[in-house]
Amino acid sequence: SNTHKYEKLNADVKALTDAFTVIKKGQVFSFNMTKDLTEITQDNLPIGSIQGADFQKAFLSLWVGEKAVSEEIKANLSK
């Protein structure tokens, strides 16, 4: 689970979920983080963005934080 909490977290999570319309099997989603902007693409087409380093910290904590969603993914990302 997310271990980085901040004031705008709920608004940023809503922006993230609003970016996704219909999710189909085989689609590829990417999250490109530069400085303090996270750009989201679906099948190489932009579908949204979220401003702020706090969102980036929270999002990454899902994968490499203390309570990562998958220890296997965390181990592979931490190599």
Side-chain angles (χ1 to χ4, degrees):
S1 71
N2 167 29
T3 57
H4 181 71
K5 309 293 184 196
Y6 60 101
E7 186 175 324
K8 235 182 88 192
L9 177 62
N10 288 337
D12 287 346
V13 169
K14 182 172 181 347
L16 175 65
T17 57
D18 287 351
F20 298 100
T21 52
V22 177
I23 300 174
K24 298 177 185 174
K25 184 176 181 175
Q27 290 179 314
V28 176
F29 295 91
S30 300
F31 299 85
N32 184 30
M33 297 177 183
T34 55
K35 295 189 182 185
D36 65 347
L37 179 67
T38 302
E39 298 173 306
I40 308 161
T41 63
Q42 175 182 338
D43 296 327
N44 293 319
L45 298 173
I47 61 169
S49 63
I50 300 172
Q51 189 72 41
D54 275 325
F55 173 77
Q56 294 170 339
K57 289 177 188 176
F59 184 79
L60 290 173
S61 77
L62 292 170
W63 308 105
V64 294
E66 292 177 23
K67 298 178 182 177
V69 294
S70 166
E71 286 301 317
E72 182 180 359
I73 291 173
K74 179 180 177 177
N76 286 321
L77 290 173
S78 300
K79 288 183 179 179

